[in-house]
Amino acid sequence: QVQLVESGGGLVQPGGSLRLSCAYSGIIFNRNSMAMGWYRQAPGKERELVASITDARNTNYADSVKGRFTISRDNFSLTVYLQMNSLKPEDTAVYYCRGYGYGMDYWGKGTLVTVSS
């Protein structure tokens, strides 16, 4: 059974930091070859890409998070991270992890990040 489990969300003040983790399991083939991404969905808005990373560790970021967020992956522990710094209230959303490529497309259930004073 494939599972992507996000953790690390919570309440943080503006200007603060959080690190999200996504542990994936149950994928037998190409698990370290698929791309991984973090997406978010704010209330009343569509889900959007935040950051992605390929198996070659090429990264891509939404303009709104460039310079503040960093995506990374650890193929030994099968975990993807999203380091979020200088958080803003507009970063408030449910953050989802996605693993895709090679005919695969898996999503986690999300973790809530709230940026508020």
Side-chain angles (χ1 to χ4, degrees):
Q1 181 181 359
V2 175
Q3 284 190 311
L4 280 71
V5 180
E6 303 95 337
S7 61
L11 174 64
V12 63
Q13 292 186 342
S17 298
L18 282 177
R19 188 175 83 152
L20 304 184
S21 300
C22 170
Y24 53 99
S25 62
I27 303 166
I28 304 300
F29 300 106
N30 295 319
R31 60 187 181 188
N32 289 327
S33 298
M34 62 182 182
M36 301 297 298
W38 284 98
Y39 291 71
R40 67 186 180 187
Q41 187 166 18
K45 295 188 177 181
E46 294 187 352
R47 191 174 297 188
E48 63 175 357
L49 173 69
V50 176
S52 63
I53 185 168
T54 68
D55 58 340
R57 290 178 168 75
N58 295 315
T59 58
N60 180 49
Y61 295 93
D63 288 342
S64 59
V65 308
K66 282 181 181 176
R68 300 189 297 124
F69 291 11
T70 303
I71 189 171
S72 61
R73 67 189 294 169
D74 183 337
N75 288 345
F76 292 102
S77 66
L78 305 183
T79 305
V80 179
Y81 302 97
L82 185 68
Q83 178 66 43
M84 305 187 295
N85 299 327
S86 302
L87 282 161
K88 305 175 181 180
E90 51 263 44
D91 295 318
T92 295
V94 177
Y95 283 72
Y96 298 90
C97 177
R98 180 191 184 196
Y100 56 99
Y102 295 90
M104 299 178 288
D105 195 356
Y106 304 116
W107 290 85
K109 294 184 178 180
T111 185
L112 176 62
V113 172
T114 303
V115 184
S116 175
S117 55

